[in-house]
Amino acid sequence: MRVIARVHSEFPSKFGVPRQSGLVEDLESTLVFEPEFRSEEALRGLEGFSHLWLVWVFHQAARPDWSPTVRPPRLGGNTRMGVFATRSPFRPNPIGLSAVRLAGMERTPDQGTVLCLRGADLVDGTPVLDIKPYIPYADCVPGALGGFAAVPAGAALAVEIPPELLEHIPPERREALRGVLAQDPRPRYQEDPDRVYGFGFAGLEVRFSVADGVLTVREILEAL
C-alpha cells in the first residue's frame, strides 16, 4: 500500500476528534496529495460528487499485535466485543474508513489540487490510502441494523464558553469547536465533575470540565 495523500485538520492528537465522521459538519479540513499523486487527470469527474469515502491509516494507534476483543467506549469501557464488531483503531490492520463531504477543490501553486473537506474525524497528518466517491443508491442502505451502536451515544452536551475565552478562537472555527465539545470528548466511562480535560484544537489547548450535562470551558491556552 502507498500513501496517496494526508489530511490536515485541527487536531494534533486523537483526543477530541469526533468518534465518527459527519457528526460535526462545521469541522473543516484539507486533503493534500503526495507529490507523486498530484494529477489533475486522477481527479477528473470528482467535482460531481458531494461526498467521498476516505480509506486511511490509524497511524497514531498502530500496534505490532492485536486482540480478538476490544472494549468499546460506547459500552462504558468494561464490556468486551469482537474487534470486527467495532470500529476500534486496534485492529489486525490499522485501517479506517470515513464518509466526508467534499466542500470544494482548490488549485494551489505548490501543492496541486487540494480537496476541501467537512465533517472528517481525522487527526492532523492522517495518511490516506485511497479515495472513492460516495454513491447514494449503493452506499445508503435503508433499514440497516446498527447493532449496539444503532444510535448516537447520548444526548449532546450544553456548551458554555466564557466570552473572554471565546475570543481566543478564530471566528470561523468557533462553531466547529462548539460542535466538537457538544459531542463530549471524554472517555465514556469517566464522569468525574471535578476533572479538567484538555485537547489540542487549531493550535490551541482547550481545557474543560463537565457536570450535570453542561460542558464548561475553563481555559484556552497556546499549545506547547
Side-chain angles (χ1 to χ4, degrees):
M1 293 290 179
R2 290 182 290 175
V3 174
I4 67 165
R6 295 184 186 272
V7 169
H8 297 279
S9 75
E10 308 288 11
F11 301 98
S13 61
K14 62 183 181 179
F15 189 82
V17 176
R19 292 179 174 85
Q20 303 291 342
S21 59
L23 292 179
V24 184
E25 180 74 10
D26 288 310
L27 270 180
E28 298 181 353
S29 56
T30 57
L31 184 146
V32 178
F33 289 93
E34 296 291 282
E36 179 183 358
F37 299 100
R38 291 174 187 173
S39 166
E40 293 294 322
E41 291 297 299
L43 300 176
R44 184 187 299 173
L46 193 67
E47 69 280 355
F49 296 91
S50 66
H51 290 74
L52 306 174
W53 288 110
L54 302 184
V55 182
W56 48 276
V57 179
F58 286 102
H59 66 300
Q60 291 192 1
R63 293 180 174 180
D65 53 5
W66 71 287
S67 169
T69 61
V70 295
R71 296 184 294 177
R74 167 67 69 94
L75 300 178
N78 297 314
T79 302
R80 286 196 169 272
M81 303 295 288
V83 65
F84 300 129
T86 76
R87 296 191 176 188
S88 167
F90 307 115
R91 324 183 66 78
N93 294 304
I95 296 173
L97 179 69
S98 295
V100 299
R101 182 157 76 87
L102 178 60
M105 301 168 63
E106 180 182 343
R107 289 179 174 82
T108 69
D110 56 343
Q111 295 180 323
T113 297
V114 172
L115 304 187
C116 304
L117 309 176
R118 282 185 174 267
D121 55 339
L122 303 176
V123 171
D124 186 57
T126 294
V128 176
L129 300 177
D130 201 7
I131 298 167
K132 301 180 188 292
Y134 180 96
I135 301 176
Y137 77 83
D139 295 341
C140 180
V141 183
L145 301 180
F148 64 85
V151 297
L157 296 174
V159 176
E160 293 186 356
I161 307 177
E164 65 273 16
L165 296 182
L166 192 61
E167 290 297 320
H168 293 284
I169 304 296
E172 68 275 11
R173 290 183 168 90
R174 291 175 186 174
E175 287 308 306
L177 177 60
R178 284 187 180 278
V180 169
L181 294 171
Q183 294 295 322
D184 193 353
R186 299 174 301 167
R188 294 297 182 200
Y189 46 85
Q190 293 184 3
E191 299 288 345
D192 183 356
D194 297 321
R195 181 166 179 171
V196 176
Y197 303 83
F199 65 93
F201 181 84
L204 300 166
E205 177 78 11
V206 180
R207 297 180 179 176
F208 66 92
S209 61
V210 181
D212 299 324
V214 178
L215 184 150
T216 303
V217 173
R218 301 298 180 185
E219 293 182 293
I220 297 180
L221 308 171
E222 293 291 333
L224 299 178

